[in-house]
Amino acid sequence: MSTTTAAADPVARLDAALGDPGEGGRVAAEADAGERFPAEACARLDAAGLAAYYVPVAHGGRLDDHEMLLRLLRTVARRDVTAAVAHAKTYLGAAPVWVAADRPQARTVAAAVLAGDPVGWALSEPDHGADLLNGACTAAPQPGGYRLTGVKWPVNNATRADLLTVLARTGDGGARGHSLFLFDKAAAPAGSWRELPKVATHGIRGADISGVEFTGADVPASARIGAEGTGVETVLRALQLTRTMCASLSLGAGEHALRLTARFVAGRVIQRRPLIERPFHASVLGRAAAHLAAVEAATIVACRGIHSLTAELSVLSAATKALAPTLVDSVLADLAELLGARSFLTGVHEHGAFQKLRRDHQVVAIFDGSTPVNRAGLVQQFPRLVRGWASRGADPDGLREAVQERTPPRPLDTGALTLLSRRGCSVVQSLPDLAATLTGVPAALATALCGDLDELHARMALARPAARPAMVAYELAAAYELGFAAAASLHLWAAGQDRHRGEPLWEDALWLRAALQALRSRIAATLRLPQPPAADDDERLAHVVADAARTGAPVTPFGDPVPGAPGGR
């Protein structure tokens, strides 16, 4: 990346503002050991203007491209997942406002966020968790407004945030029995609410994971977000945005772990040979890089799809949110085996960064709907996905924009967010047409993947949606996520092969071959199909990644270099 380009790139500016990664790692390790909030890191993020990217341009912020927000949050997470969670929670808390609030409410929240004030999202309850339809927190109507009563716990930013978006029961329950409210602590009557103590956590130890109890807190009618009874619908629409963006945490953690391990494997000499020269170590490292590349591809397409495939986001977001933390947890487990004792010791090997990021990342699978919750959401859409695959239905214009990474997207129309995708999933359903345009190895990979997906959709057609899907349906949803990542990889490769010509990861379609091999192997294992023929791309990929980790170049096909790196785009 040239000096001029770096100066103009918000990601490079943010990375520079965060300072020396080594010193940042030391500070993060000390804060983690003391379970202290990452105040220094968050102050740097505030000073760098990251909060402006949580606010849409229409409300005075800089958010007009969710791929850019993905890159920014990933940049923070590859240094410290705790800091990323602590700061970015404001985007999650404000998302329902951007989706459904009136302009005065949106201006209020935008002004607070731009001033550096955190915002929290109070959804979970002690006895109900993610079961939103059975929440016990109530908002009883009264003259001029509502009275909030009940507990929201655990909630990120519950103590530090002055503004909370609160889901509360306004009727007899059910889909139309809840509403969303913007709760302002400063405006609420004294003694009508209290903050609950911080909860001790295994990972993200310093984050503000606490809660709030309402004991008859009066809020005006103007605090309601959207019409009464639309709270659950608004939450589900906003979750499509936040679930997609949660993948930035997985990408950041995965990239950090890959760089740590690649440097170790390349530099650790045993019996006069670096570990990377041993087939086992190189294969494991390469396979981890392949899986991370697949997660990256799925996430980029989903983030860009927020703008161009908005009506399909219920599928894209669920697939991405289930896939990213699952695959990255698997990547971290494999890399831990290569690091050995250094994977769980504190204060050893770059301040014990690996054991911290591995603990921190475990929470991502729980955020904004757990993996089973997202897979259940996919199962409910099986009939539409099966019909879409059979008809090859797709939105060609939206798909074209979704795979043109790092290009300005169309403005987001939040009114196009729907709870179910009528078309299905253009990324997957267009794969046969894409395969017909490819040549060589990519064509063979795409054709083989189409065969896998034919079998997958045939089985999906036999799985009937239900309130409590059978275990086989969850397994099919897991396979669909992998197919989505594989299709996204092929689309991005086809669209970007000329732009990335000459980059080591793209030479001879290296990353694509390795990613497709890894994904198809997982699909085959899930569906109990014969394994695809073995390939030898992992060892070669490992050496490319090790060189990139040494120089600071990107370790994934669409990644960014580290600060001051001589390599990279």
Side-chain angles (χ1 to χ4, degrees):
M1 179 182 291
S2 69
T3 302
T4 301
T5 303
D9 183 13
V11 174
R13 291 201 304 269
L14 177 64
D15 229 345
L18 291 175
D20 176 60
E23 175 62 14
R26 183 191 66 78
V27 172
E30 290 181 354
D32 179 72
E35 299 187 17
R36 298 192 304 272
F37 186 82
E40 180 177 332
C42 286
R44 286 177 179 263
L45 296 173
D46 286 339
L50 179 59
Y53 289 91
Y54 303 156
V55 179
V57 169
H59 302 307
R62 295 183 178 178
L63 178 57
D64 59 1
D65 181 350
H66 281 79
E67 184 189 7
M68 175 57 72
L69 180 57
L70 166 73
R71 292 175 59 211
L72 290 167
L73 295 181
R74 173 183 180 173
T75 297
V76 182
R78 74 181 182 181
R79 289 168 173 263
D80 183 8
V81 173
T82 302
V85 169
H87 201 273
K89 183 60 185 182
T90 290
Y91 170 78
L92 276 61
V97 176
W98 314 143
V99 168
D102 57 31
R103 291 196 65 83
Q105 287 174 319
R107 285 197 297 267
T108 296
V109 174
V113 174
L114 293 172
D117 297 333
V119 179
W121 197 356
L123 290 181
S124 299
E125 297 184 10
D127 296 327
H128 303 287
D131 186 5
L132 301 181
L133 296 183
N134 285 312
C137 182
T138 61
Q142 61 178 13
Y146 298 82
R147 176 163 293 173
L148 287 172
T149 305
V151 175
K152 289 294 182 177
W153 177 96
V155 176
N156 196 349
N157 273 357
T159 298
R160 299 179 66 86
D162 287 331
L163 291 177
L164 299 171
T165 48
V166 181
L167 181 68
R169 184 188 292 264
T170 49
D172 295 330
R176 293 294 176 182
H178 295 77
S179 303
L180 266 179
F181 296 88
L182 183 62
F183 181 73
D184 185 347
K185 292 178 180 177
S192 65
W193 61 275
R194 70 182 183 96
E195 292 161 350
L196 302 179
K198 173 178 163 31
V199 180
T201 52
H202 177 62
I204 58 169
R205 290 174 174 171
D208 172 18
I209 308 296
S210 52
V212 60
E213 180 180 10
F214 304 106
T215 53
D218 293 339
V219 295
S222 60
R224 194 186 65 232
I225 300 172
E228 185 170 297
T230 61
V232 171
E233 179 182 349
T234 298
V235 166
L236 293 177
R237 291 167 65 206
L239 281 172
Q240 293 176 29
L241 303 176
T242 63
R243 284 170 174 168
T244 307
M245 300 313 302
C246 278
S248 63
L249 304 173
S250 294
L251 284 176
E255 179 186 342
H256 192 184
L258 189 62
R259 289 183 182 277
L260 285 169
T261 310
R263 289 196 294 266
F264 174 76
V265 171
R268 177 67 165 171
V269 176
I270 296 180
Q271 297 178 344
R272 292 178 291 185
R273 291 177 61 198
L275 292 179
I276 198 168
E277 293 184 6
R278 302 169 187 266
F280 172 79
H281 296 80
S283 294
V284 171
L285 183 66
R287 185 172 66 246
H291 280 116
L292 192 59
V295 172
E296 183 180 58
T299 304
I300 287 173
V301 171
C303 283
R304 294 188 60 81
I306 288 175
H307 298 266
S308 66
L309 295 171
T310 315
E312 300 179 24
L313 197 58
S314 59
V315 174
L316 274 60
S317 62
T320 302
K321 177 58 174 64
L323 172 89
T326 300
L327 275 191
V328 170
D329 275 340
S330 175
V331 165
L332 299 183
D334 287 343
L335 295 178
E337 187 172 358
L338 299 185
L339 284 172
R342 289 165 181 79
S343 69
F344 62 86
L345 294 176
T346 61
V348 175
H349 190 53
E350 303 197 28
H351 310 289
F354 190 93
Q355 58 83 27
K356 178 185 183 311
L357 71 86
R358 192 176 184 190
R359 283 188 290 104
D360 287 351
H361 181 260
Q362 287 178 322
V363 78
V364 181
I366 302 171
F367 279 157
D368 291 36
S370 65
T371 300
V373 167
N374 282 284
R375 286 180 177 162
L378 284 176
V379 172
Q380 302 308 315
Q381 304 204 59
F382 274 6
R384 297 166 187 260
L385 296 173
V386 169
R387 289 195 298 271
W389 176 255
S391 67
R392 305 297 189 249
D395 174 358
D397 292 335
L399 178 62
R400 189 178 305 111
E401 292 182 33
V403 302
Q404 293 291 336
E405 41 102 18
R406 302 203 186 194
T407 60
R410 70 178 73 173
L412 168 61
D413 175 12
T414 56
L417 291 168
T418 59
L419 300 186
L420 296 172
S421 172
R422 294 181 179 178
R423 185 181 292 110
C425 180
S426 292
V427 178
V428 172
Q429 291 155 201
S430 61
L431 185 62
D433 291 337
L434 174 65
T437 69
L438 300 175
T439 59
V441 172
L445 291 171
T447 300
L449 179 61
C450 285
D452 298 338
L453 295 182
D454 276 335
E455 176 64 24
L456 171 60
H457 284 87
R459 298 190 191 186
M460 288 165 56
L462 302 177
R464 295 287 180 257
R468 296 179 179 83
M471 186 59 205
V472 66
Y474 284 99
E475 293 174 346
L476 295 175
Y480 191 88
E481 298 154 19
L482 298 165
F484 168 72
S489 298
L490 281 159
H491 280 291
L492 285 170
W493 183 86
Q497 57 180 315
D498 292 333
R499 185 183 319 138
H500 294 277
R501 194 177 302 279
E503 296 178 19
L505 288 167
W506 289 74
E507 188 175 327
D508 298 329
L510 175 60
W511 77 265
L512 178 70
R513 296 202 315 267
L516 266 291
Q517 173 71 22
L519 291 169
R520 290 196 62 226
S521 178
R522 282 180 171 268
I523 292 172
T526 303
L527 299 182
R528 297 168 181 82
L529 299 173
Q531 282 289 317
D536 58 358
D537 297 315
D538 288 344
E539 290 188 44
R540 180 182 164 196
L541 181 59
H543 285 275
V544 172
V545 167
D547 286 343
R550 177 179 56 82
T551 64
V555 292
T556 55
F558 306 98
D560 289 292
V562 297
R569 286 186 281 122

